[in-house]
Amino acid sequence: MNLTTRYMGLTLGCPLIASASPLNADIGNIRRLEDAGAGAVVLPSLFEEQIEAEADRQDHLVGMGSESSPEASSYFPAASEYRVGPDQYLDLVERASSAVAIPVIASLNGTTDEGWISYARLIEQAGAKALELNIYFIPADITTSGRDVERRYLDILKAVREIVSIPIAVKLSPYFSSVGNMARQLETAGADGLVLFNRFFQPDLDLARLEVLADMKLSSPDEIRLPLLWLAVLAGRVKASLAATTGVSTADEVIKYLLVGADVVMTTSSLLRSGIEHMTTLRAGLETWLRARDFASVDDARGLMSQRRIADPQAFERANYIRILQGYRA
Ligand SMILES: Cc1cc2nc3c(=O)[nH]c(=O)nc-3n(C[C@H](O)[C@H](O)[C@H](O)COP(=O)(O)O)c2cc1C
């Protein structure tokens, strides 16, 4: 089965990518992902705070974890190894890029367009084939307008675009008033790829202790619905490559994302939950499905169910509440 995929001008042997996570901070794991059939890997993000902390000669931020899961904790390196400093990060990019033939995509996380952005060039020089911008910004200051948030994304992207020539993907938030318009603005500002969506931390409360719970759960397949909608809407309407992230558990989610038009499909939770070799299972499941439907390649199936190509485009915009109600008795 021909799974060859183009993503941001790169040629991948398969549309499956191990998304940014501490799992990919280890060269042994990256090799295993390649052996298991991944098309590319995204390294964990180098965080703006880490770069600033290094500049200030302070390392108090090491070990801070905005994302952690008890379920996942046995699979990834200790926080101190995960949140590495800039020099270690560049070393990781270099070692990973020479260890495997599949493209290694680096990731930068930040929310301002300040000095940390210059690391993008060093990352490029270290051998990354592309750069993912993980703009993890929650506008908790309620005086911040939607336009301000959009400008922040665009300013960061433009600043990075000016200093690197490798492809840039933006991992964006699902919370824009007009996701499609934002996608177009990002494309105009130089994004080669759009990763839908950043999975923002959502807190819970511990009712016994009256504490805010900062635990992050691994994703479930139900969560594909929001990215699925926007990938379906954007496919064929933007030139940027489209990456799906969130909710992949089995090959079914992979196939759905590809059918609505994702160029590549990323996964982290499934690998943390089931181990790196789960990549082989996802790939085999995709191949089996394509073969059973007589597709000769993944390209033949990609985008067949995007909003532009299905017979009833409204199907992506309308909920059938009547059907839901019929299932319940008052
Ligand atoms: C433990 C853990 C660490 C993560 N670290 C990063 C990171 O450094 N940078 C990033 O952009 N995303 C990070 N993510 C988000 C994943 O790349 C992915 O987008 C998200 O988990 C949704 O995909 P999934 O449903 O396949 O897990 C992390 C996720 C987890 C579970």
Side-chain angles (χ1 to χ4, degrees):
M1 179 58 61
N2 182 0
L3 296 182
T4 308
T5 292
R6 296 281 291 167
Y7 179 52
M8 300 197 288
L10 304 170
T11 301
L12 315 186
C14 161
L16 286 159
I17 294 183
S19 52
S21 95
L23 196 68
N24 308 344
D26 178 272
I27 302 294
N29 286 350
I30 294 174
R31 285 210 179 94
R32 282 170 62 202
L33 281 163
E34 179 176 51
D35 292 344
V41 291
V42 186
L43 300 180
S45 302
L46 173 60
F47 289 79
E48 179 176 0
E49 306 95 298
Q50 292 164 278
I51 296 171
E52 285 165 357
E54 178 91 348
D56 296 346
R57 299 256 170 245
Q58 294 170 6
D59 62 0
H60 66 277
L61 288 173
V62 170
M64 185 185 86
S66 68
E67 296 181 272
S68 69
S69 155
E71 233 175 323
S73 58
S74 58
Y75 289 101
F76 58 86
S80 54
E81 289 169 57
Y82 168 34
R83 294 215 161 204
V84 296
D87 290 347
Q88 286 160 284
Y89 194 83
L90 296 176
D91 182 56
L92 173 66
V93 174
E94 214 170 295
R95 284 185 302 122
S97 304
S98 48
V100 289
I102 56 176
V104 171
I105 300 171
S107 169
L108 262 180
N109 169 296
T111 55
T112 67
D113 58 348
E114 304 297 323
W116 63 281
I117 281 186
S118 56
Y119 271 88
R121 182 176 288 143
L122 299 177
I123 285 173
E124 177 177 41
Q125 286 165 356
K129 288 283 185 300
L131 181 63
E132 195 173 281
L133 293 178
N134 167 18
I135 306 176
Y136 193 105
F137 175 62
I138 297 185
D141 173 354
I142 64 170
T143 64
T144 307
S145 71
R147 196 165 288 270
D148 289 341
V149 178
E150 292 186 2
R151 196 173 309 117
R152 190 181 282 253
Y153 270 73
L154 295 167
D155 286 350
I156 291 174
L157 171 61
K158 284 179 193 160
V160 177
R161 181 70 290 167
E162 269 180 26
I163 59 169
V164 299
S165 52
I166 49 175
I168 303 174
V170 177
K171 196 171 188 178
L172 67 155
S173 155
Y175 303 129
F176 292 104
S177 304
S178 176
V179 172
N181 181 263
M182 189 61 202
R184 286 190 61 177
Q185 291 191 67
L186 287 165
E187 188 177 69
T188 307
D192 303 283
L194 301 170
V195 183
L196 277 58
F197 287 112
N198 218 332
R199 186 166 175 256
F200 288 131
F201 164 62
Q202 298 177 0
D204 195 3
L205 295 185
D206 180 328
L207 290 180
R209 293 164 177 258
L210 290 187
E211 279 175 3
V212 177
L213 285 176
D215 61 334
M216 179 96 180
K217 300 257 184 294
L218 296 179
S219 67
S220 67
D222 274 355
E223 294 176 55
I224 71 165
R225 289 167 174 245
L226 188 62
L228 195 79
L229 163 65
W230 284 108
L231 287 160
V233 171
L234 293 180
R237 294 190 172 119
V238 289
K239 289 196 202 76
S241 294
L242 296 173
T245 177
T246 299
V248 168
S249 175
T250 67
D252 283 2
E253 291 79 52
V254 175
I255 296 160
K256 288 176 188 178
Y257 274 141
L258 292 167
L259 280 174
V260 295
D263 292 295
V264 293
V265 180
M266 299 184 168
T267 181
T268 284
S269 289
S270 77
L271 301 175
L272 290 173
R273 201 181 280 119
S274 309
I276 288 175
E277 280 63 35
H278 188 62
M279 186 59 87
T280 315
T281 311
L282 294 177
R283 186 173 167 148
L286 169 62
E287 284 184 310
T288 304
W289 190 86
L290 290 169
R291 209 169 286 122
R293 297 267 162 171
D294 286 332
F295 289 113
S297 72
V298 68
D299 278 346
D300 290 348
R302 187 180 283 108
L304 274 184
M305 296 191 69
S306 66
Q307 194 183 30
R308 274 185 79 190
R309 290 175 67 184
I310 58 167
D312 175 17
Q314 288 285 307
F316 280 108
E317 296 172 35
R318 240 183 5 225
N320 194 332
Y321 288 116
I322 301 300
R323 202 181 299 161
I324 298 169
L325 289 172
Q326 281 165 353
Y328 289 92
R329 255 189 273 141

